[in-house]
Amino acid sequence: MTRAEPGMTQRPPRAALVFLLYLVITLALTFPLVVHLGDAIPGDSFDGWQNYWNFWWLKQSLVDLPRNPYVTDMLYHPTGVSLYFHTLNPFNGVVTLPLQLAGNLFLAYNSAVLLAFAAGGLGAYLLTLATFARGAVFSVPRPRPFWPAFVAGLIFTFSPYHLAHLLGHMQLISLQWIPFYVLYVVRGLQRAPRGPLSRADLLKPGFFLLLVGLCDWYYVLYCLIFTALALPAAWLAQWRDPRRSARKFMTALRMLTVPLASGLLFALLASPLWLPMVREARVASFMVPQRSEAVRLSADLLGFLTPQGFHPLWGQAVRAWADRTFTSSFSEYTIFAGFVPLLLAGLGVLFDWRRARFWLLVMLTFGILALGPVLHIAGRADIMPGGSALPLPYAWLYDHVPFMSIARSVSRFDVMVMLALGLLASRGTAALVARRHWLGPLAAVLVLFEFWPAPYPLSPPDTPAWYNTLAQTPGHGAVLNLPMNWDRPGYLLYQTVHGRPLTVGYISRDDPRTLTTRAPVLQSLRALGPDILDVDLARVGPSVLNWLDVEWVVLDFYKMPGERERAPTVMMAEAIVAHEAPAYEDERLKVYQVTRPAQPAPFAVLGEGWGERVTSGDDVWRVLAPTATLQIVHGAAAAALQVTVSGPAGATLRIHGPDGGVVTQIALHAPWQTITAPLALAGDAVLTLQHDAPTGAVRVARLAVLPARRN
């Protein structure tokens, strides 16, 4: 038996004790959250409320009103919206159900936060211990050290990346299952050369990959990419081992069964989620952001060396510079690796290059991917001669890997950079501890000091008291919160109090199939100006709100402090409810209760085939696809449809009635022409508009349903 190295012989503490250590550090680094666990959440009062709503909605859908949680009519009521591409992260909502049932949604949210940080540290700690085990494929065989593993956990779970997304991205906060997946993939690959793998060796990676998927789909992608790196590395290590030359082929097959079995288990268990997503992605494209978003939300090369903006000593100055320099938001550009972790990792590579090189490969691979389609340095992409950009490997993945273009925020690859960096730093820490035991705790203290974010910002609820009154008011009608020119997550917070459906909402990917930009009144409130559906707000507005099942219109003046938003929003809202007195009013809110109109007025709602709203000076139009649909509501009261349209000479526009017959036929020309098509409808109906002009050549500036004259 060889003599163990100094400081490396102690038995590591039990996992429960390590978990508690990380939990205590979490409470310290997120202070003052510890004294507000039941009345606030960490963050910047924005995306956090969306994720807070996720907890509430999962309880509603699973307990109070059992239904599919991935479809809701509580947002964008009455048609509702799909949540398959929304960051619902159901694991957190389900695991905290007991706390929600006890009546404290804040405590449930914050418990998920604490679990993510403490369990994330524990996972990285256990992974590091496994890589220090004798016979490990990817690391040095030494007695299992505490301090190197503990430091690796600190670097991973308290990374600036993790702390920055604590501002409100619960799905990204929940990174705790990634190191467990990596651990059991690595363990399975380590055990394959020794003989047949157990059922646990094959199934545990799939189980933890499922937990990863129940938190965030980005992280599933990252785990799969890690597996694509680990399997060839394990094969190569086995191929070079002369002791197993006769069993290389069988060993390689056993190694292959690890990702295959775990992938199959994940695919089966997660199929109720990913199959609807695939079906939806095949027929719609709203979940695919523009390529420019992937470029903008990529990591900047300097970001890895830019100290995090939360630090109490230098954070304010650093953040002021970074906000001016980088192209993305604070939570997305914060990818600081840490100078202490980089130094420790450098020592690890220096002292144990042969076995550290795999984790160096992982770190560099994910670091390069985080940089996105093109290289940014100090916010600039035009770094090549002639002002061109330097393309990077992610651009190829974006163009050639199915569904890769759905990913929006590329800098999030940094989570795997920090995991690999922690493992590399553990080797440097081990080299230091082998010489002086006290260097282990010193390394831990220095890492924590460099990453220190306290005091961490908190988001106390700003729910107006009137919503508590609404919760006690009989009725089930929807709430139209104004302003609505962009989606505000605060309205979701208020819904957790009053429990009424919302006419608009806030989800991860804007879905154009909602009525927000397709229905009159909502169109104008969204754009703060006219759209192509032309209606008299005073005459038609109440009918539109009644059709939308709106019972309450709430003007929130705190959310529109500037006149650019306030003036048009108030003007349009008061035009609609001109004959109503406010049901409630204070310095912040003005609330109207909507009454049903005695004679519903007809109006049109855009269906499929309409482009986005385009403006040029005072002109507004939408491009008409070769085939588009138009819904006529209260069609029995409609006399005609008036259309202002422009198109190339020689092309024809036909309007078909609900029975397929041609209502009217228009010979198009430029500039604009206005035509009137008579309607004879028995009730609600869908018209079809078809033209034979090239795609994009026909524009519609105005659609108006003319009411029938009353006798």
Side-chain angles (χ1 to χ4, degrees):
M1 177 179 290
T2 59
R3 183 179 178 183
E5 293 165 307
M8 304 283 287
T9 58
Q10 71 272 25
R11 182 180 179 83
R14 292 184 180 275
L17 178 57
V18 175
F19 179 89
L20 289 175
L21 286 174
Y22 285 121
L23 179 60
V24 170
I25 296 172
T26 301
L27 292 172
L29 264 65
T30 58
F31 184 84
L33 178 63
V34 65
V35 296
H36 292 282
L37 292 174
D39 57 34
I41 64 172
D44 57 3
S45 296
F46 199 78
D47 281 338
W49 296 128
Q50 181 194 70
N51 282 281
Y52 181 85
W53 179 90
N54 290 342
F55 284 69
W56 175 83
W57 169 242
L58 279 162
K59 175 180 174 291
Q60 292 285 312
S61 60
L62 298 178
V63 178
D64 300 334
L65 302 168
R67 63 179 72 178
N68 179 1
Y70 282 89
V71 179
T72 182
D73 60 356
M74 295 297 286
L75 303 179
Y76 302 101
H77 188 79
T79 55
V81 69
S82 165
L83 298 179
Y84 283 104
F85 284 92
H86 173 66
T87 55
L88 193 59
N89 54 95
F91 170 82
N92 293 306
V94 171
V95 78
T96 60
L97 271 177
L99 291 173
Q100 294 191 60
L101 292 172
N104 196 318
L105 192 54
F106 288 99
L107 189 57
Y109 184 98
N110 291 323
S111 296
V113 167
L114 298 179
L115 172 65
F117 276 85
L122 175 64
Y125 171 87
L126 294 175
L127 171 60
T128 307
L129 290 185
T131 62
F132 272 87
R134 293 186 180 278
V137 176
F138 303 120
S139 59
V140 53
R142 289 178 176 171
R144 296 194 287 179
F146 168 71
W147 283 111
F150 190 69
V151 168
L154 295 178
I155 292 171
F156 175 66
T157 204
F158 299 117
S159 65
Y161 165 89
H162 201 189
L163 291 166
H165 286 290
L166 180 58
L167 285 173
H169 297 154
M170 175 59 75
Q171 78 281 9
L172 302 178
I173 299 168
S174 305
L175 50 64
Q176 65 265 37
W177 305 123
I178 296 176
F180 286 95
Y181 170 79
V182 172
L183 166 63
Y184 287 107
V185 167
V186 169
R187 183 169 291 176
L189 296 177
Q190 289 173 351
R191 291 178 175 175
R194 305 172 195 168
L197 294 167
S198 69
R199 186 179 302 173
D201 291 330
L202 296 174
L203 298 183
K204 281 184 178 180
F207 170 73
F208 282 104
L209 187 60
L210 177 65
L211 293 182
V212 171
L214 291 175
C215 294
D216 187 67
W217 289 106
Y218 278 93
Y219 290 167
V220 172
L221 171 65
Y222 304 164
C223 287
L224 296 179
I225 293 175
F226 170 82
T227 306
L229 295 174
L231 184 61
W235 277 342
L236 184 60
Q238 170 64 20
W239 200 261
R240 290 177 173 177
D241 188 347
R243 296 172 296 174
R244 299 189 174 98
S245 58
R247 296 182 294 163
K248 288 179 179 178
F249 181 72
M250 289 304 300
T251 298
L253 286 180
R254 284 197 297 270
M255 288 181 173
L256 183 60
T257 60
V258 175
L260 288 180
S262 59
L264 179 61
L265 177 65
F266 169 78
L268 288 174
L269 296 180
S271 59
L273 302 183
W274 64 262
L275 279 175
M277 295 176 71
V278 171
R279 286 196 295 266
E280 202 159 4
R282 291 171 65 92
V283 300
S285 60
F286 70 88
M287 71 290 297
V288 180
Q290 294 182 355
R291 189 186 184 96
S292 59
E293 287 290 280
V295 174
R296 183 178 68 85
L297 296 174
S298 297
D300 192 290
L301 186 61
L302 288 185
F304 293 110
L305 300 176
T306 302
Q308 58 109 335
F310 282 136
H311 201 280
L313 297 183
W314 52 74
Q316 185 174 0
V318 169
R319 185 166 181 177
W321 175 83
D323 285 342
R324 296 192 306 268
T325 303
F326 298 142
T327 59
S328 56
S329 61
F330 173 76
S331 60
E332 302 296 347
Y333 71 62
T334 300
I335 55 169
F336 179 46
F339 297 117
V340 173
L342 287 172
L343 176 61
L344 293 172
L347 292 175
V349 172
L350 178 65
F351 285 109
D352 193 18
W353 160 251
R354 188 169 68 89
R355 293 181 175 87
R357 59 191 175 187
F358 170 73
W359 298 107
L360 180 62
L361 170 67
V362 172
M363 185 183 76
L364 293 176
T365 298
F366 282 97
I368 292 172
L369 290 175
L371 294 172
V374 297
L375 180 63
H376 286 82
I377 300 178
R380 298 187 59 180
D382 54 344
I383 59 174
M384 298 297 289
S388 61
L390 176 64
L392 295 175
Y394 183 83
W396 186 90
L397 294 177
Y398 184 96
D399 292 331
H400 296 93
V401 176
F403 306 116
M404 194 75 178
S405 58
I406 294 176
R408 179 170 173 261
S409 299
V410 186
S411 64
R412 296 173 183 179
F413 279 101
D414 185 59
V415 67
M416 301 301 288
V417 174
M418 298 310 296
L419 180 61
L421 179 62
L423 285 156
L424 287 172
S426 72
R427 280 152 183 75
T429 306
L432 296 177
V433 170
R435 289 157 177 79
R436 295 288 187 275
H437 177 72
W438 56 268
L439 291 175
L442 177 62
V445 169
L446 291 177
V447 168
L448 288 175
F449 173 76
E450 192 170 26
F451 290 171
W452 194 268
Y456 199 87
L458 297 182
S459 300
D462 69 336
T463 310
W466 178 81
Y467 288 111
N468 293 283
T469 303
L470 179 60
Q472 306 301 319
T473 303
H476 304 283
V479 176
L480 173 58
N481 292 104
L482 300 177
M484 56 161 285
N485 55 309
W486 51 271
D487 292 335
R488 291 162 168 82
Y491 299 153
L492 275 64
L493 166 66
Y494 309 154
Q495 187 184 47
T496 66
V497 174
H498 62 69
R500 298 292 192 97
L502 300 182
T503 307
V504 293
Y506 177 54
I507 57 175
S508 302
R509 300 291 168 93
D510 290 337
D511 190 340
R513 296 172 298 183
T514 66
L515 294 171
T516 308
T517 59
R518 298 195 297 113
V521 177
L522 297 187
Q523 275 191 341
S524 301
L525 289 167
R526 188 67 156 192
L528 297 179
D531 206 316
I532 67 171
L533 292 175
D534 184 14
V535 298
D536 181 328
L537 291 176
R539 182 178 61 83
V540 180
S543 296
V544 174
L545 295 188
N546 180 64
W547 179 72
L548 293 170
D549 193 30
V550 172
E551 185 179 358
W552 301 94
V553 175
V554 182
L555 287 158
D556 190 331
F557 295 103
Y558 283 11
K559 293 189 179 296
M560 44 181 174
E563 283 300 308
R564 189 189 72 83
E565 292 176 305
R566 179 177 294 197
T569 300
V570 172
M571 180 190 68
M572 287 185 279
E574 293 186 344
I576 296 169
V577 294
H579 304 294
E580 304 286 347
Y584 175 83
E585 186 173 7
D586 61 20
E587 66 173 11
R588 175 175 179 176
L589 299 184
K590 181 180 285 189
V591 181
Y592 294 93
Q593 187 169 14
V594 179
T595 58
R596 184 184 298 271
Q599 296 290 333
F603 57 89
V605 177
L606 300 183
E608 298 179 351
W610 299 88
E612 296 183 357
R613 177 178 183 266
V614 179
T615 61
S616 178
D618 294 332
D619 294 331
V620 178
W621 71 83
R622 289 177 182 260
V623 171
L624 183 67
T627 299
T629 58
L630 186 71
Q631 181 180 0
I632 306 298
V633 181
H634 305 311
L641 174 67
Q642 203 166 69
V643 184
T644 300
V645 62
S646 172
T652 302
L653 171 65
R654 296 178 178 86
I655 300 177
H656 299 265
D659 59 355
V662 177
V663 175
T664 192
Q665 180 170 304
I666 309 162
L668 297 175
H669 62 78
W672 301 104
Q673 59 179 314
T674 299
I675 59 96
T676 301
L679 298 176
L681 305 173
D684 291 2
V686 176
L687 307 181
T688 301
L689 288 76
Q690 293 182 323
H691 67 79
D692 53 10
T695 299
V698 177
R699 299 180 297 175
V700 175
R702 179 175 173 270
L703 287 166
V705 177
L706 304 182
R709 293 183 179 181
R710 299 174 187 172
N711 295 328

